[in-house]
Amino acid sequence: MRLLKRSPNGDIKLISVKNDDDRPPYATLSHTWTNSQEVTYNELVAGAGKDKTGYAKIRFCMDRDAQDGIEYCWVDTCCIDRSIQQELQTAINSMFRWYQAAKKCYAYLLDAQVPKEVSDAQAFPISWMESFRRSRWFTHGWTLQELLALASVEFFSEEGKLLGTRISLEQDFQKITKLPVEVLRGKRLSDFDSDEQIGWTANRTTSLREDKIYCLLGICGVFLPLIYGEGEVYAETRLREEIQRRKEGWGMERLRDRAVSSPLPFARNEIFTGREDELQSLKQFLLPPYTHQRMTIYGLGGCGKSALAIEFAYRALAQQAGRLVFWVPAISRESFELAYRDIGISLRLPGITDDNADIKELVKDALGNSRRAWFMIVDNADDPEALMNRVGGDPGTARLVDWLPKSDGGKIVFTTRSRKAARDLTQSNALELRDMGKIEARQLLRQRIAKQALLSDTKAVGELLELLAYLPLAIIQAAAFIDSNDIAVNACRNFRL
């Protein structure tokens, strides 16, 4: 996580916070984006973008939290390097908790105006209420979590005048958003069922279709890998499946009764293409019984590491139906610990839901002492420090990697984009995943497009695959675009992900 801090000379700089325990008090900014006017991470680092309206919003947040005695603030436009896919994944999965952990949230409504002659906006709401109710802030998908994550949300007009708080404007919010008054008063989000939670975004919009679902992750209390290009329907299906999985758990008896089902985040991809050599390498190294093995799959983002791990997991289950399979996203310490809690619940470990339960210790002991075969995928281990560093640098604390279980029947596969992380985690036991071959890439594209006539131009198909660098994720996203828009490949030469 990065936070903004004002330097003595007045410049705004970024600082990195590696662990939640080291995070200083901070405020957050809630706002809607304006095209080409937001300051990005790279621009802020370079000292650019100061002429943009987005920079004025950043300064507003810094000025406001200084008045409240807060030294740091977090703004989504510039505190996330969106050019790094894994960082974006981590941020979106963690964003709700980041807002929740803030001391205050300042909602800046660029399209809510207060007349100049009104000095005390709260005393004369009639002067601005009409523009307030029409504000785009109330119809944007991402602002929903910002409204609900923290009770201390303050609303400001374009001029920076305080309009009120979530509490003082409760009746207006209820009329505008149609949200239950109970949720506005702080009732636990987990007390609402998933249908109701998902329905809260029905009248909200996002720039990307999938974000209408992804903006609900924190509200629904789940982690989910992001797959831009899958569309809103598929994203909602995955969200509902993950909610149901967490709700029901996967007891030991149920796992024994299932031949190939498992608590994996995705159903098996029945049209998985290629990678047979890599699957064979994983099988030879990981599946021999009675020996604990660990291996890392590494390669560029989008090359199919997670997809390969999922396919291998299903093949391992098919070979040995009683094998336990667990998925642990390592995008952050939070995601790791939440996954361990789910594992403990699925195994029905005594005491796992106690308030003071040592969840990581309980799971490590249970799997470490188990005689059953189990397989754990530690996905997206791109930041070695997240797994290898001790909390706050304290030598007396355990690293996350120290909580990984070890038993003769246990196997662990890591996925990462980092060659260094692969070396640190499993030394020479690493499998580099390269781009797909041309034949495999063509097969993948064909399997993902229902109307084969769209692929009639063989030359255009080859050019598109070359443009996409034969990366599976890029091919899948391109196929989704072509299929959903019914566009022939030769008509989308300028397609960009």
Side-chain angles (χ1 to χ4, degrees):
M1 182 185 191
R2 298 187 186 91
L3 294 173
L4 296 169
K5 181 181 180 181
R6 181 176 275 121
S7 302
N9 64 1
D11 289 341
I12 297 173
K13 65 178 183 179
L14 285 162
I15 65 163
S16 294
V17 181
K18 294 296 184 182
N19 300 300
D20 292 348
D21 294 340
D22 299 331
R23 192 165 52 196
Y26 64 96
T28 58
L29 178 69
S30 174
H31 64 117
T32 56
W33 289 30
T34 302
N35 287 339
S36 304
Q37 286 299 312
E38 302 302 335
V39 180
T40 67
Y41 164 79
N42 289 324
E43 286 176 328
L44 190 72
V45 170
K50 294 182 179 181
D51 57 336
K52 294 184 174 183
T53 57
Y55 193 79
K57 289 191 285 187
I58 295 171
R59 294 200 70 90
F60 163 78
C61 186
M62 297 295 298
D63 292 342
R64 191 68 212 184
D65 69 358
Q67 293 179 38
D68 291 331
I70 305 172
E71 191 174 358
Y72 301 88
C73 71
W74 184 84
V75 180
D76 57 354
T77 52
C78 58
C79 290
I80 304 169
D81 186 353
R82 294 172 181 269
S83 66
I84 301 176
Q85 182 63 25
Q86 185 53 46
E87 182 171 330
L88 180 61
Q89 289 238 15
T90 301
I92 289 179
N93 274 279
S94 305
M95 201 174 291
F96 183 84
R97 284 166 293 282
W98 290 349
Y99 278 105
Q100 209 169 32
K103 293 298 181 183
K104 281 194 174 183
C105 177
Y106 306 122
Y108 183 76
L109 279 56
L110 194 61
D111 48 1
Q113 294 86 25
V114 177
K116 292 181 180 180
E117 60 271 19
V118 177
S119 57
D120 185 355
Q122 295 184 84
F124 297 96
I126 193 172
S127 66
W128 48 263
M129 185 56 71
E130 188 60 33
S131 63
F132 177 77
R133 288 172 176 166
R134 292 198 307 266
S135 175
R136 192 162 66 95
W137 193 91
F138 292 106
T139 59
H140 187 54
W142 288 106
T143 54
L144 176 63
Q145 65 174 354
E146 296 150 25
L147 174 64
L148 301 181
L150 186 66
S152 183
V153 185
E154 297 179 349
F155 290 81
F156 295 85
S157 69
E158 178 186 12
E159 301 81 11
K161 296 180 180 179
L162 179 62
L163 305 178
T165 67
R166 194 182 86 175
I167 297 173
S168 68
L169 296 169
E170 175 190 289
Q171 292 184 354
D172 299 292
F173 288 145
Q174 205 283 322
K175 292 178 182 178
I176 298 169
T177 65
K178 309 302 181 186
L179 290 170
V181 68
E182 294 86 359
V183 75
L184 293 172
R185 291 177 178 174
K187 185 177 180 180
R188 290 189 311 175
L189 296 176
S190 58
D191 290 340
F192 298 88
D193 64 41
S194 57
D195 286 338
E196 191 168 9
Q197 291 172 334
I198 293 172
W200 293 342
T201 62
N203 297 318
R204 291 175 178 261
T205 60
T206 54
S207 299
L208 299 175
R209 291 174 297 175
E210 297 84 0
D211 281 340
K212 192 170 181 179
I213 302 302
Y214 298 158
C215 70
L216 288 165
L217 297 184
I219 291 172
C220 296
V222 300
F223 290 92
L224 207 65
L226 312 182
I227 308 176
Y228 284 106
E230 67 176 332
E232 182 183 342
V233 173
Y234 288 108
E236 181 178 335
T237 299
R238 289 200 298 123
L239 174 64
R240 289 184 180 277
E241 288 175 349
E242 182 66 8
I243 292 171
Q244 190 65 23
R245 186 179 73 83
R246 291 182 183 277
K247 184 185 299 182
E248 293 182 354
W250 293 76
M252 300 285 279
E253 295 82 1
R254 292 184 64 191
L255 280 169
R256 277 198 293 266
D257 292 341
R258 292 173 177 262
V260 293
S261 294
S262 67
L264 290 169
F266 306 105
R268 187 173 190 177
N269 179 6
E270 299 299 337
I271 56 174
F272 182 86
T273 301
R275 303 300 194 190
E276 291 300 329
D277 290 343
E278 290 84 354
L279 286 165
Q280 187 62 27
S281 296
L282 290 170
K283 178 180 178 180
Q284 291 176 351
F285 185 79
L286 291 171
L287 292 191
Y290 313 120
T291 176
H292 181 76
Q293 296 284 14
R294 298 184 180 188
M295 193 173 193
T296 301
I297 304 170
Y298 73 96
L300 294 174
C303 71
K305 300 180 294 295
S306 298
L308 177 65
I310 291 171
E311 176 62 19
F312 178 73
Y314 277 106
R315 294 193 184 192
L317 280 167
Q319 178 175 319
Q320 186 176 354
R323 188 188 304 272
L324 302 175
V325 179
F326 306 107
W327 188 276
V328 179
I331 55 179
S332 67
R333 178 174 287 269
E334 292 171 321
S335 67
F336 186 97
E337 293 178 348
L338 185 57
Y340 258 47
R341 183 178 185 275
D342 284 349
I343 292 173
I345 292 173
S346 75
L347 298 177
R348 299 179 182 175
L349 300 182
I352 194 67
T353 58
D354 293 350
D355 290 341
N356 298 319
D358 191 341
I359 293 172
K360 296 189 292 295
E361 182 69 30
L362 288 172
V363 171
K364 178 184 178 182
D365 286 348
L367 292 180
N369 295 318
S370 174
R371 294 184 178 181
R372 294 191 60 183
W374 55 265
F375 179 54
M376 180 181 290
I377 300 171
V378 182
D379 194 32
N380 291 321
D382 294 330
D383 182 3
E385 295 182 358
L387 286 172
M388 307 296 288
N389 280 12
R390 303 182 187 278
V391 177
D394 182 356
T397 61
R399 306 168 300 171
L400 285 182
V401 73
D402 296 329
W403 298 111
L404 293 173
K406 183 176 181 180
S407 71
D408 289 343
K411 322 288 183 181
I412 298 178
V413 167
F414 302 91
T415 71
T416 179
R417 296 189 304 175
S418 167
R419 184 189 298 268
K420 181 181 184 303
R423 184 174 63 250
D424 291 344
L425 291 168
T426 56
Q427 297 180 356
S428 61
N429 298 331
L431 174 65
E432 182 178 9
L433 197 60
R434 301 180 181 274
D435 303 339
M436 296 189 86
K438 293 182 179 181
I439 296 176
E440 290 180 338
R442 284 180 180 272
Q443 290 175 344
L444 177 60
L445 184 64
R446 287 190 176 279
Q447 289 176 339
R448 290 282 176 168
I449 293 179
K451 190 181 293 185
Q452 293 296 301
L454 299 175
L455 303 174
S456 59
D457 190 331
T458 304
K459 181 180 178 182
V461 169
E463 291 175 350
L464 176 62
L465 293 173
E466 185 176 354
L467 175 66
L468 299 174
Y470 302 99
L471 290 172
L473 181 58
I475 295 170
I476 291 171
Q477 291 175 331
F481 176 84
I482 292 168
D483 215 28
S484 61
N485 291 281
D486 201 26
I487 297 175
V489 171
N490 58 8
C492 61
R493 294 176 185 271
N494 295 323
F495 176 78
R496 293 290 187 274
L497 293 179

